[in-house]
Amino acid sequence: MQFTTEKHLDDSVLEREFSLGEIPGILWTPGSAPAPLILLGHPGSLHQMYPRLVERARQAVAEGFAAATIELPGSGVRPRSAAAEEARADLRRALAAGGPVEDGIVDRLVLPLVEKAVPEWRAALDALLSLPEIGGPVGFSGGVIAIGVRLAVVEPRISAALLFAGSFVPRTMFEEARQVTIPLHVLLQWDDEGNDRQLALDLFDAFGSTEKTLHANMGGHTGVPRFEGDAANRFFARHLK
Amino acid sequence: MQFTTEKHLDDSVLEREFSLGEIPGILWTPGSAPAPLILLGHPGSLHQMYPRLVERARQAVAEGFAAATIELPGSGVRPRSAAAEEARADLRRALAAGGPVEDGIVDRLVLPLVEKAVPEWRAALDALLSLPEIGGPVGFSGGVIAIGVRLAVVEPRISAALLFAGSFVPRTMFEEARQVTIPLHVLLQWDDEGNDRQLALDLFDAFGSTEKTLHANMGGHTGVPRFEGDAANRFFARHLK
């Protein structure tokens, strides 16, 4: 992992961009003492997502957490996948047509992404946990929810996860959801224009965790209320401190 | 309203029992300065519910709220209703049989309770708001959810409601739910043995409020996690302070 930029944000958060081989990422830290780490999931394109990511990072750092994220395969500066672009276009068409989204489209879009991204997030975790200013434990926060589910199953260093139910999950991953046992905090935007509410409720039901909480709010896909940032911090404070 | 007992709880909460005509009630206050009021709803029998009520009251008073509750018609020391007892027995049988609960049973149990209880809670509100140590605004917190829904529609002095989706709601009340516009915080126990999850989700969907949040947790009807008390205080702090 190589740091490429370093700046102090006005509220004294240290923001550093890094590259992990071909993968760009961003790390936000509160100071030099080892801090618990929250991995910030997102739908892809660090550049487009930056304003929302830095707001989430600031809220986390204000509570004494470090926060980090990496670019997704096929997004931002990383090479596109023709198959993923095609599946994304098919998904957009299906949503625009207002009809149901075929499982095949979701599988073609999400399964290869999960297969490629999860090992990258685990490699980022190896690198981040080797830094003196990062302690443990580790939480995952955000989407792509299918990536969060897979990480919760295969990555023992992740102790708790806040999953944003804002994207489709392949039905084949429901069996994995049953294997999740870490504490979960699931965020659902009730009228999310780009997601299937019933699928999200079925997924919440499927998780094997004995502590799982669902927070549903109004406001559409990007309308998560500010007070949920506070609720997220309280969830991670209970499980990462 | 006549106060019948008065004691300071160990954490300096002033607890006073009162009677409003034939209706017993309890008031918890943080001090003499006018405080916002939270009405604590419950399924009936102040005596049986006291341990949970006093815990909820303490959490509210610790945040600077006053809290109050009254006995429900047909519960505790109040005269029984033969029709309600019969409907309750029918509900128990239906739940024990594991079958669906007929709308008729729910209507016979809940509608007369709502009709009788809501004017009593409004009368209690008149009396409580006349006390110098009670200011406003007012919130309702708890169940019976059908009582909370009716109060949210007909009582303009209630500014926000935390509704515990732990009891059946007559389908005829869904139209009332659409008329609710105040901020709502709905608590659902995902595997509530005495409630219908889908009915609760349909009710949440029906509410007309632009700010409505659903918190679903594991643990059965009486297993609401302690951290939800904190979330409840934050909801009321946003809307009653």
Side-chain angles (χ1 to χ4, degrees), chain B residues 23-203:
Chain B
I23 308 169
I26 313 175
L27 171 64
W28 296 270
T29 48
S32 52
L37 174 66
I38 299 176
L39 298 172
L40 300 182
H42 60 84
S45 180
L46 288 184
H47 180 72
Q48 284 177 42
M49 292 298 299
Y50 179 80
R52 275 185 277 165
L53 285 166
V54 74
E55 185 184 355
R56 289 160 59 196
R58 279 187 156 122
Q59 289 178 309
V61 169
E63 289 292 314
F65 299 110
T69 191
I70 57 173
E71 186 58 274
L72 291 183
S75 293
V77 299
R78 302 188 59 186
R80 295 287 173 278
S81 148
E85 296 294 309
E86 194 184 305
R88 187 169 286 109
D90 292 344
L91 176 63
R92 282 206 201 89
R93 270 190 293 273
L95 290 173
V101 176
E102 290 164 35
D103 292 352
I105 296 175
V106 176
D107 293 351
R108 284 189 289 121
L109 177 63
V110 179
L111 290 177
L113 178 66
V114 170
E115 290 296 333
K116 189 144 194 257
V118 166
E120 295 176 351
W121 285 81
R122 300 186 74 183
L125 200 47
D126 296 335
L128 290 160
L129 288 174
S130 71
L131 300 171
E133 59 270 47
I134 309 289
V138 179
F140 176 87
S141 178
V144 172
I145 188 170
I147 293 174
V149 171
R150 175 69 58 85
L151 277 169
V153 173
V154 302
E155 179 48 72
R157 292 173 294 182
I158 293 180
S159 306
L162 183 153
L163 301 175
F164 179 48
S167 56
F168 288 83
V169 174
R171 291 188 192 278
T172 54
M173 288 192 70
F174 273 60
E175 192 41 55
E176 282 178 72
R178 290 185 187 86
Q179 298 167 38
V180 175
T181 57
I182 60 172
L184 295 179
H185 181 104
V186 178
L187 267 183
L188 171 66
Q189 288 299 92
W190 195 249
D191 297 315
D192 193 327
E193 55 281 14
N195 192 24
D196 180 314
R197 182 196 302 164
Q198 191 56 55
L199 196 73
L201 293 171
D202 293 344
L203 184 68

